[in-house]
Amino acid sequence: MIESFRDKLINVLVKGKLIKQKDLDKALDIQKKLGGSLGKIVVEKGFISEKDLMVAMSSQLNIPPIDLSKYKIDKSITELIPERIAKQYSLVPISKIGRVLTIAMSDPLNIFAIDDIKILTNYKIDLVIATENDIKEAINNYYGSHGLEISKILEDVPEDIEIEKAEDEEERIDVSEVAEESQKAPIVKVVSLMLNEALKRRASDIHIEPSEKFLRVRYRIDGNLHDVLTLPKKNQNAVIARLKIMSKLDITETRLPQDGRFKINFEGHEIDFRVSVLPITFGGKVVLRVLDKSSLSIGLDKLGFLPGPLNTFKTALARPYGMILVTGPTGSGKSTTLYSIINQINAPERNIITLEDPVEYEVEGITQIQAKAEIGLTFASGLKSVLRQSPDVVMVGEIRDFETADIAIKASLTGQLILSTLHTNDAASAITRLIDMGVEPFLVASSLVLSSAQRLMRKICQNCKEEIDISKNVLERIGVRPDEIAKRPIKSFYKGKGCSRCSNTGYYGRLGILEAFLIDDKIRDMVMKKAGSDDIKDYAVKQLCMKTLRDNALENFVNGVTTLEEVLRVTSED
């Protein structure tokens, strides 16, 4: 009988006397209940060190071990296996001789991974063993385009900067030492490189997250987070202090959340970073929001909205007063839409005032106010003061309560154009949300000019798109009509295969989808009678010819701009 891979590993552990029988039994019981790799379980539970397991497996399986930290890998070798595959199977290619590709793996018993790599690369595979942590670090270093450079820079950081933490005691930080260290060339270079690489890769956010043993850096690209690299724990305080100093924050404050911002010049234009520091178990988590003002000057026409809902929006903006609402969940692009509108209507003859929390983009020619609830400057109190400044247009960052809603609506009835946002799933729900807050239906009916909802969806990467077949049954089931298929401008459907340009995701860039309807007499009558959002939406679709978010998304899919999976992901509630 052929010995299974799990039996081989058990043999390795037992013959080498590397684990107690009771610990092995416990690990086997965990595997039976939860699944997963036995090797990973015994290491995670502390029954054996990762290095001892590697050496024992190397001896028993006759596969040589390797210390990846002392090995330099040529970039042409790592390009043979995509980052996604390397992470999935915890492996990294290290050399190629003829038709033989040498792979370092933490689990050389994973025959499925080996078979997949053979098929993917069309090479014969030779194996060496490395620890999982070494492989993770190698992937971060060699696949992240700036990983090698950062590792080299950090070699210049002295070892004695590490701040030791006594057990069951608070971390004792020499602030002067950390402040001094954060200004040294290596740390300054690392932070600069991190920011520049984020901008090159079109990141909207940078997440710097302390853990027990290292500092993880992730970029949010096209709405999804991607691991970029890990930095040594010893550099954590200096990196965070550097970011705090750039943001003019107090580096001695480690117990309370902090907010700040800073600017850098990148490829000839100014980029703002909004900084949030949150105290967590292992230090301060820093999230940097990337705010590129140049993206606002493109106007509404360039946000990707389809002509129908876009024209509805433009009709509403031509009104001299009233309220326009943009709704959607966090991260759906509401702020960008509002700022694009402000940028488009900004003119010397208009007094435009915004009330925000926080002020995201600084725009010349308008008055911007930062709400500060801790000193009593709320949206409601701030809005009262703003209305005394004789504004033509007021943008309220978000309507969160009855008082703000009431003041904003009454302002829109006295000659101001009010722009604001709400957190609802669709355009019709904005009306019922205002009434639920306590606003009188007659005020909502009189003031509201337009209600809209939007989402952001990813576009197929044009560099690696490939044709796919989708059956008519599937298309009809999700709502694509045969006549739409017949008149579409392209003959095939597409998806992104994954390439270096799109970080093997198959997507590159995002566009907005929008549903919007103007408030007519019939809707005003429905609002007065407190009709439900479903009835209002049904009327808007049938009588006002409103295209829903799903309709917009499907049109982009039929036109070959995005994928069916993305349509379903973004408009799942429809």
Side-chain angles (χ1 to χ4, degrees):
M1 185 177 176
I2 298 173
E3 189 180 34
S4 72
F5 295 128
R6 192 180 75 152
D7 290 339
K8 280 186 181 180
L9 179 56
I10 292 171
N11 250 343
V12 168
L13 296 172
V14 173
K15 281 185 180 179
K17 296 181 180 178
L18 297 171
I19 189 170
K20 294 175 182 176
Q21 187 61 47
K22 65 173 184 179
D23 290 337
L24 178 59
D25 292 338
K26 193 181 288 184
L28 289 168
D29 188 53
I30 291 169
Q31 188 189 38
K32 187 178 179 181
K33 289 177 181 175
L34 305 176
S37 160
L38 181 60
K40 195 170 184 180
I41 292 168
V42 295
V43 170
E44 283 181 347
K45 291 297 177 183
F47 299 151
I48 183 175
S49 74
E50 196 175 20
K51 192 170 182 180
D52 286 345
L53 179 63
M54 178 188 75
V55 171
M57 288 180 72
S58 169
S59 173
Q60 291 292 321
L61 301 173
N62 293 317
I63 300 174
I66 187 172
D67 184 354
L68 286 176
S69 63
K70 298 176 181 175
Y71 200 95
K72 187 173 182 181
I73 305 172
D74 192 273
K75 191 180 178 187
S76 64
I77 303 298
T78 58
E79 287 174 349
L80 295 172
I81 296 176
E83 182 179 4
R84 176 174 54 85
I85 300 296
K87 285 183 175 178
Q88 181 181 341
Y89 291 130
S90 187
L91 57 82
V92 65
I94 60 171
S95 69
K96 176 175 71 74
I97 301 174
R99 299 301 304 167
V100 178
L101 181 65
T102 301
I103 305 287
M105 295 182 70
S106 62
D107 182 9
L109 300 177
N110 189 342
I111 194 168
F112 302 104
I114 297 165
D115 285 345
D116 281 356
I117 298 301
K118 281 180 184 176
I119 294 167
L120 178 70
T121 62
N122 201 25
Y123 281 89
K124 290 180 181 178
I125 303 299
D126 203 355
L127 296 177
V128 293
I129 300 180
T131 65
E132 188 168 4
N133 280 336
D134 278 358
I135 288 174
K136 278 183 181 176
E137 190 167 345
I139 290 171
N140 284 326
N141 286 342
Y142 291 97
Y143 283 94
S145 58
H146 61 306
L148 276 172
E149 195 172 343
I150 281 183
S151 296
K152 192 174 179 182
I153 291 169
L154 288 174
E155 287 174 6
D156 298 330
V157 180
E159 291 294 323
D160 58 6
I161 182 181
E162 186 164 10
I163 295 161
E164 295 188 5
K165 187 176 179 182
E167 198 172 337
D168 296 322
E169 289 182 15
E170 284 192 33
E171 190 173 14
R172 292 174 295 194
I173 298 176
D174 185 335
V175 174
S176 61
E177 183 183 320
V178 174
E180 183 182 339
E181 193 61 42
S182 69
Q183 303 290 357
K184 288 186 178 178
I187 295 299
V188 172
K189 285 180 183 176
V190 165
V191 172
S192 297
L193 199 56
M194 194 190 302
L195 299 178
N196 276 275
E197 187 65 21
L199 296 173
K200 285 178 185 175
R201 293 177 64 173
R202 306 174 298 106
S204 59
D205 301 272
I206 305 170
H207 291 243
I208 301 165
E209 303 164 325
S211 66
E212 187 178 5
K213 296 180 180 177
F214 55 84
L215 186 67
R216 178 167 73 159
V217 180
R218 295 192 289 173
Y219 294 160
R220 189 180 293 280
I221 303 170
D222 294 333
N224 288 357
L225 282 169
H226 299 268
D227 279 322
V228 180
L229 78 155
T230 55
L231 299 175
K233 186 71 175 177
K234 67 182 180 182
N235 304 127
Q236 173 179 307
N237 290 321
V239 168
I240 293 173
R242 172 63 184 162
L243 289 166
K244 282 188 174 185
I245 289 167
M246 292 171 70
S247 311
K248 297 181 174 62
L249 298 176
D250 181 2
I251 67 169
T252 65
E253 179 56 75
T254 58
R255 297 185 179 188
L256 295 174
Q258 292 177 279
D259 293 298
R261 61 194 309 143
F262 64 88
K263 300 176 185 178
I264 67 168
N265 286 313
F266 178 75
E267 295 182 351
H269 57 278
E270 199 174 72
I271 306 289
D272 283 2
F273 286 88
R274 196 178 80 209
V275 182
S276 171
V277 184
L278 184 69
I280 62 172
T281 307
F282 300 110
K285 175 177 176 176
V286 183
V287 175
L288 296 92
R289 179 83 183 274
V290 182
L291 304 168
D292 183 0
K293 282 191 283 189
S294 64
S295 64
L296 304 180
S297 59
I298 59 176
L300 278 173
D301 294 327
K302 303 292 184 182
L303 295 179
F305 299 141
L306 292 170
L310 184 59
N311 289 333
T312 303
F313 219 109
K314 287 181 177 178
T315 301
L317 285 172
R319 305 277 181 91
Y321 59 87
M323 176 179 278
I324 293 174
L325 289 177
V326 181
T327 72
T330 301
S332 58
K334 301 186 298 296
S335 295
T336 301
T337 298
L338 288 181
Y339 274 108
S340 296
I341 292 169
I342 291 290
N343 219 55
Q344 194 165 302
I345 64 176
N346 189 10
E349 61 270 19
R350 277 198 176 105
N351 179 18
I352 300 174
I353 302 178
T354 72
L355 183 59
E356 307 165 65
D357 183 21
V359 173
E360 294 199 25
Y361 297 93
E362 294 174 1
V363 183
E364 282 188 26
I366 70 172
T367 304
Q368 294 175 274
I369 302 167
Q370 166 80 53
K372 293 181 181 177
E374 63 273 15
I375 61 169
L377 182 55
T378 61
F379 279 126
S381 63
L383 191 52
K384 286 178 183 176
S385 300
V386 164
L387 295 175
R388 299 190 191 103
Q389 297 282 313
S390 184
D392 298 299
V393 181
V394 178
M395 184 183 98
V396 183
E398 183 186 341
I399 293 177
R400 297 175 180 171
D401 52 44
F402 164 74
E403 192 179 3
T404 307
D406 188 54
I407 297 167
I409 283 175
K410 287 174 180 174
S412 70
L413 292 171
T414 57
Q416 280 86 29
L417 180 63
I418 306 292
L419 308 172
S420 193
T421 70
L422 274 175
H423 285 286
T424 63
N425 287 331
D426 59 22
S429 298
I431 295 172
T432 52
R433 178 63 57 83
L434 288 172
I435 294 172
D436 289 343
M437 282 182 180
V439 180
E440 291 292 341
F442 77 90
L443 288 175
V444 176
S446 305
S447 62
L448 198 59
V449 172
L450 173 139
S451 183
S452 67
Q454 72 175 69
R455 300 288 188 278
L456 291 174
M457 64 189 312
R458 294 177 293 174
K459 298 191 290 185
I460 297 170
C461 175
Q462 296 300 304
N463 191 52
C464 63
K465 74 174 184 178
E466 60 180 10
E467 292 184 14
I468 56 169
D469 291 322
I470 300 177
S471 71
K472 286 186 178 180
N473 289 336
V474 171
L475 294 172
E476 288 174 4
R477 205 157 59 238
I478 63 165
V480 180
R481 299 190 305 272
D483 61 309
E484 289 178 322
I485 299 172
K487 68 183 180 183
R488 66 201 181 100
I490 57 171
K491 294 181 179 180
S492 301
F493 295 105
Y494 296 94
K495 73 170 185 177
K497 186 179 179 181
C499 63
S500 57
R501 180 173 182 259
C502 63
S503 301
N504 293 304
T505 62
Y507 297 98
Y508 188 88
R510 290 191 289 178
L511 78 162
I513 55 172
L514 178 75
E515 67 176 29
F517 62 87
L518 294 166
I519 309 301
D520 66 1
D521 289 338
K522 174 64 178 175
I523 291 181
R524 289 190 186 97
D525 186 52
M526 294 174 77
V527 173
M528 293 288 287
K529 293 176 180 177
K530 296 186 177 180
S533 59
D534 289 341
D535 293 331
I536 295 171
K537 184 173 184 176
D538 189 57
Y539 171 79
V541 170
K542 290 178 180 176
Q543 302 301 320
L544 302 180
C545 301
M546 180 187 82
K547 286 195 170 185
T548 65
L549 291 169
R550 171 63 67 89
D551 294 334
N552 280 262
L554 284 173
E555 189 169 337
N556 282 317
F557 162 65
V558 168
N559 292 339
V561 178
T562 191
T563 63
L564 184 57
E565 292 82 4
E566 188 67 0
V567 170
L568 297 175
R569 183 185 72 85
V570 172
T571 62
S572 57
E573 65 269 16
D574 288 354

